[in-house]
Every structure is written in structure tokens, then in C-alpha cells.
Amino acid sequence: MSDCDSGDRLLTLGEALAVALKTVSPLREIETASLAAADGRVLAADLMARLDSPLHDNSAMDGFALHLADVSLSQPVRLPVIGQALAGHPYPHPVPHGATVRITTGGWTPVGPDAVIMQEQCRIAPDERWIEVAPNVATKLKSGENIRRRGEDVHAGTVLLRGGLRLRPQDIALVAGQGIAALPVIRRLRVAVASTGDELCEPGVDLASGAIYESNRQILLGLVQRLGCVVTDLGILRDERAILLPALREAATSHEVLLTSGGVSVGTADLVKDIIAELGAIDFWRLAIKPGKPVAFGRIENCLTIGLPGNPVSVMVTFLMFARPLLLKMMGAAPVEPTRWRVGADFAFRRKPGRREWLRARLRFDPDRGPLAEVYRTHSSGALSSLVWADGLVELPEDCVGIAPGNPVDYLPFSGLGVA
Ligand code: AMP
Ligand code: MG
């Protein structure tokens, strides 16, 4: 069957995503997450800074706080050490001209001094009663030297983090630094995952004739979990209407998204698409992409259904390219484009134009030719080993007629697609 003979043209990925993104909306329910439970959650609204950070001028070094005007460019100057400003224990008095105070990193700079000299840069009396600053060191000291100013990192009243951010450890640290102990986050998206196929068998048991071990769920469960969704594993569903129909109907009542693999092509056992159409609706089911032409997008009641193809490589690619942006939107996350690098092709590839295609690729750096993408030895969509070998994908646009070595190609690292 050719790409067009059923009358309906294949949708490009861009067209399919535009249609699909319009039909899904972000979850609205908001929960409170403690900082310990906030990693990976989606921040529900802009968060304002309530404190300046740092809160007070403080020292960036272990050293001595002094008045710049006291040191000399022509002779060594000795300054008595009249006290100390340790982190957590500020020096409580102004420091007069002609004196210094020992200060540690993070210690508040006392009133008076306008610079901190590193302890390695001065001579310190054995009993620490004085320090001596040499002229060659004094020439290098500037006003504000080694002092971190109040508010130089964060200003109170400014936006600390934007709503829609998927919180990472450093984001949570910034929040903690503001003294904020809990965050408003969007309720987790509930996603059900099922594999379909009579030939599929759980790992750990003996294979019957014609059977294969099931692997797609491992891809989908892991990728969905990494997005921060709550995942339900529906297991393996046989290619039987009496099994598929009630299972899909039931899952749709308690999840926002139902992801299936297999059974959406044109074979006699490909029942998934028709059953979803019977229970709800299918908006489209064929995309101009490779691997993974059959992707059935629809819904059962309020549950979005995405029927992915059966071949393992197609599953991963269609999840990353099509399902992932939809899930992110439903999660309330700000849209993110995959990271994309224009690099040189270290391969030749012939193809028919018309579909967007992804090749399993690895990036390497050649000292003479710069960053180069190489591709796996086979392009079979059943070759799971290609995904293990690869650290990303080369994306070929719809109109690409082939690649010669040295041509520029787009390389998309897995890390920019949420697969670390
Ligand atoms: P289908 O789209 O159901 O015709 O499946 C296409 C190919 O992918 C067939 O060779 C299936 O055996 C294989 N396949 C389907 N589902 C899985 C799965 N969950 N794990 C591994 N292979 C699968
Ligand atoms: Mg099948």
C-alpha cells in the first residue's frame, strides 16, 4: 500500500503535533510539595523572590576585611587584627581605619571595610595579632575586592522561577535559599501503558513457538516515569476484542493518557485503533515519519489515547517526537524544543523523500573536521541494539533526498529529549 492510496494524505509531524497540541490542555489541580518531594515536579505558578540573596554583603574568601585607603603602594603596612567575622557570627562593631578583622567565607563584612584581602596574600603574625600587606599586593586590591554584595545573586521581588518549570535540584536549592519550604506544583499526570500482541511473552518464562519476549513496555514505562508522571502498567494485552475493549475502556476512566504499543497498523490482528474508535474517536493514525508511520491519536471519553507502533525503535522514536510534547503540555510544563546540533555526517544514506526520518546516531569529535554524527550499521526499526548503541538521533527533514559524507545534518542528543 502506498503512502497515499487510501485517499488521506499522511500528516507531517508538524501538522500532527499542531492538531494534537490544540486538543490537549494542562492539568489544573495544584498540590503542595515539600522541597524533598519537589524534584521533577512542575511548578504551578511564577515564584517570586522574597529575600535578597545574599542577604548581606559578605566575604567570598577566608581573609581580612580592611579599608583600602589604609594600605600603601610604596611600603608594607601593618594592621592590628581587632576581631573576627566568622560565617554565622558577625563582628558587631564598625571597624575603624588602621585596623582589620579576620573574616571567613560567607562572614558578613563589618561596617567600615571596603575590601577583603585573602589570607594567603598577607603576612600574618604568629599570634595573629596583626597582618602585614605588601605594596605589590596592595596594588592589586580594588574597592569591593572579594566582597559579595547584598542582592547580587537574587533581588527580592523579582521572579525567582517561572511557572511551568520542571524542577531540578538546582531550582529547589534556589527556593531553599529563600527560606521557602514547600512549593505549589501541578498534580501528576496519570498515564497507563499497555503492550498488545498475541506473540508477546513476559521475560522470565519459557517462550512458546512463535512467541517473543515483550520489551516495549520497558521503554514506555521508563520514559513516562522520567517525565514525572504516575504510570500504571497494564501489562500485555492479547489481540482479542474481548480482552482489549474492556481493558482500554477501564483504563480510560482513571487516567488522563493511555499509551499502547502494537496493533495500530493494517494487519488482521491490528485491533487497537478500531476499538478506540468504537469507544471514543481516532483523529488521525498515520504520520509522514520513519520509523513509526502508524501512530493513532484519539481519545476515549476524557482520556487521551496514543497508539504507538509495535516495533521497539518506532515506539521510542514516536514517543519522544510525538507523545512527549503532548504529555509535557498536559503536565503543565513549559514547551521545550529538543536540543539540536548542526554537525557533519560521517555516513552516506540514500532515501526516498516524503517522510521525516530519524537515524540512530552517535556524536564524535574529529580534531580536523569537528563534531560528526555516525549512524548505526542497520536502520531496522526492530533493532533495539541500535538504541543502546546510540546517544541521539540524526533527523532528516521530509524533503531530504539523501546524505553524502560531510553534509550538514541535525543531531538531537537523547539528553535533550529527556533520556539521560
Ligand atoms: P505490530 O504493530 O503489532 O504489528 O507489531 C510490529 C512488530 O513489533 C512485530 O514484529 C511485533 O512482534 C513487534 N512488537 C510489537 N509489540 C512489541 C512489544 N511490546 N515488544 C517487542 N516487540 C513488539
Ligand atoms: Mg501486533
Side-chain angles (χ1 to χ4, degrees):
M1 162 159 164
S2 89
D3 287 356
C4 300
D5 66 1
S6 64
D8 49 343
R9 187 176 62 86
L10 300 185
L11 290 180
T12 65
L13 178 68
E15 290 167 341
L17 270 179
V19 168
L21 282 167
K22 250 188 242 155
T23 70
V24 303
S25 38
L27 292 180
R28 291 185 196 283
E29 297 104 300
I30 294 173
E31 304 172 341
T32 299
S34 70
L35 298 191
D39 191 17
R41 301 300 301 268
V42 177
L43 187 63
D46 288 356
L47 187 72
M48 309 302 283
R50 57 183 202 185
L51 303 176
D52 279 340
S53 179
L55 253 186
H56 193 282
D57 291 359
N58 69 91
S59 178
M61 295 287 170
D62 292 328
F64 295 88
L66 48 71
H67 294 264
L68 211 52
D70 290 346
V71 298
S72 164
L73 306 183
S74 53
Q75 66 201 40
V77 168
R78 225 172 240 205
L79 298 168
V81 180
I82 62 168
Q84 53 185 16
L86 308 183
H89 303 280
Y91 183 71
H93 312 292
V95 177
H97 273 281
T100 187
V101 156
R102 178 179 262 292
I103 195 163
T104 57
T105 306
W108 285 11
T109 47
V111 175
D114 54 358
V116 168
I117 183 168
M118 287 165 67
Q119 65 183 38
E120 297 87 333
Q121 291 184 321
C122 41
R123 236 184 95 206
I124 305 171
D127 60 4
E128 299 212 357
R129 298 260 286 272
W130 50 261
I131 62 164
E132 195 175 271
V133 182
N136 65 325
V137 172
T139 55
K140 288 184 215 135
L141 282 182
K142 293 189 302 287
S143 174
E145 185 90 6
N146 295 322
I147 294 176
R148 302 189 288 215
R149 294 296 180 192
R150 171 180 183 144
E152 74 174 24
D153 186 17
V154 175
H155 275 297
T158 57
V159 176
L160 191 68
L161 298 174
R162 289 278 174 205
L165 179 72
R166 294 166 64 210
L167 293 158
R168 305 161 300 170
Q170 63 267 44
D171 305 318
I172 300 166
L174 193 68
V175 173
Q178 289 283 313
I180 299 169
L183 286 170
V185 296
I186 299 178
R187 196 247 299 158
R188 286 186 201 270
L189 193 70
R190 294 168 303 182
V191 181
V193 172
S195 286
T196 72
D198 276 357
E199 75 281 30
L200 304 177
C201 178
E202 291 286 7
V205 302
D206 290 338
L207 280 180
S209 168
I212 61 167
Y213 288 120
E214 199 284 322
S215 49
N216 291 347
R217 254 155 67 238
Q218 302 311 317
I219 294 177
L220 291 177
L221 294 171
L223 291 178
V224 172
Q225 231 144 30
R226 277 171 193 230
L227 279 181
C229 304
V230 177
V231 197
T232 306
D233 181 0
L234 299 181
I236 297 169
L237 305 177
R238 304 259 151 256
D239 291 322
E240 274 174 48
R241 188 186 147 80
I243 290 176
L244 279 167
L245 190 137
L248 301 186
R249 186 174 49 200
E250 171 63 25
T253 61
S254 49
H255 298 85
E256 283 81 38
V257 182
L258 171 57
L259 280 178
T260 61
S261 73
V264 288
S265 200
V266 291
T268 46
D270 292 331
L271 305 173
V272 172
K273 177 168 48 54
D274 291 346
I275 288 174
I276 292 172
E278 185 180 335
L279 293 170
I282 293 283
D283 291 351
F284 54 81
W285 66 280
R286 294 193 315 152
L287 304 187
I289 61 173
K290 192 177 178 190
K293 183 165 67 168
V295 174
F297 176 79
R299 72 195 51 77
I300 301 173
E301 306 271 330
N302 291 323
C303 177
L304 190 78
T305 60
I306 308 177
L308 302 175
N311 280 307
V313 176
S314 310
V315 166
M316 181 145 166
V317 169
T318 52
F319 178 86
L320 294 177
M321 298 303 166
F322 180 73
R324 185 171 182 270
L326 299 176
L327 264 53
L328 284 169
K329 178 168 181 194
M330 296 178 83
M331 290 163 56
V336 276
E337 280 296 309
T339 310
R340 187 179 291 270
W341 300 104
R342 185 68 46 88
V343 303
D346 201 18
F347 59 91
F349 188 69
R350 290 163 62 106
R351 64 173 235 129
K352 246 188 10 203
R355 293 201 255 165
R356 189 177 299 189
E357 183 162 5
W358 295 274
L359 309 175
R360 278 75 81 201
R362 252 192 203 181
L363 195 66
R364 71 180 180 87
F365 187 81
D366 181 279
D368 301 319
R369 294 150 69 206
L372 295 176
E374 47 186 333
V375 296
Y376 197 58
R377 58 182 163 80
T378 148
H379 300 293
S380 160
S381 58
L384 259 179
S385 60
S386 65
L387 291 171
V388 173
W389 173 89
D391 50 26
L393 301 168
V394 158
E395 181 175 279
L396 306 179
E398 287 80 357
D399 60 1
C400 170
V401 292
I403 297 293
N407 284 170
V409 288
D410 280 2
Y411 166 81
L412 283 57
F414 281 147
S415 58
L417 290 160
V419 192

